[in-house]
């Protein structure tokens, strides 16, 4: 009975410690990514925006989101680099979606007033 309380505390603290450690590693990777940005990199922001890095400032980054459209963002919003492999995977997925056959749709046939009256009268 005396060991129950220390084991309970240990059972609660170990997962919490491991979670904090994993979170610190992820933050370090993200910070390293944000510091290693270079002009021409394709990036994905935390809001899901795909863009190209045009210019880098101390705490900001200029992103081209469409041809000729450049916006200024904080470096902290850059979540990941988009590699050529990611673009190819997206293209493959698009190709697969294009191949899917759509179900045949029966043509719509309008009925006359007499046919409607007969149909409704039988029910």
């Amino acid at each position: 009975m005396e060991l129950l309380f220390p084991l309970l505390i240990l059972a609660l603290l170990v997962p919490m410690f491991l979670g904090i450690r994993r979170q610190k590693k992820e933050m370090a990777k993200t910070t390293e990514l944000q510091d290693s940005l270079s002009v021409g990199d394709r990036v994905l922001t935390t809001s899901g925006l795909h863009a190209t890095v045009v210019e880098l400032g101390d705490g900001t980054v200029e992103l081209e989101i469409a041809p000729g459209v450049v916006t200024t963002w904080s470096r902290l919003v850059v979540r990941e680099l988009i590699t050529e492999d990611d673009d190819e995977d997206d293209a493959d997925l698009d190709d697969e979606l294009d191949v899917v056959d759509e179900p045949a749709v029966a043509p719509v046939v309008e009925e006359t007033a007499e046919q409607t009256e007969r149909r409704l009268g039988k029910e």
Side-chain angles (χ1 to χ4, degrees):
M1 194 68 171
E2 294 173 8
L3 288 175
L4 186 61
F5 185 69
L7 285 176
L8 181 62
I9 290 178
L10 186 65
L12 294 174
L13 290 179
V14 167
M16 188 174 74
F17 173 75
L18 293 175
I20 292 170
R21 189 169 169 219
R22 188 188 79 219
Q23 186 177 12
K24 282 185 180 180
K25 284 183 180 181
E26 288 295 322
M27 285 183 62
K29 281 175 42 179
T30 303
T31 303
E32 180 183 334
L33 167 74
Q34 292 166 351
D35 290 339
S36 69
L37 290 175
S38 61
V39 174
D41 286 344
R42 295 271 307 151
V43 295
L44 177 67
T45 65
T46 55
S47 62
L49 179 75
H50 291 248
T52 304
V53 176
V54 176
E55 187 178 329
L56 297 166
D58 290 337
T60 61
V61 61
E62 302 274 334
L63 298 177
E64 183 176 32
I65 57 177
V69 181
V70 178
T71 57
T72 304
W73 295 71
S74 170
R75 279 188 187 230
L76 300 176
V77 301
V78 176
R79 181 170 49 186
E80 64 185 67
L81 284 175
I82 300 173
T83 61
E84 296 301 321
D85 295 338
D86 293 341
D87 292 339
E88 290 174 8
D89 291 343
D90 291 343
D92 291 344
L93 182 61
D94 291 343
D95 291 342
E96 289 175 15
L97 293 176
D98 290 340
V99 173
V100 174
D101 292 353
E102 294 185 21
V105 178
V108 177
V109 178
E110 293 187 26
E111 59 184 24
T112 64
E114 294 172 356
Q115 291 172 332
T116 304
E117 286 178 19
R118 271 188 265 145
R119 182 176 49 84
L120 293 176
K122 291 182 181 178
E123 293 178 0

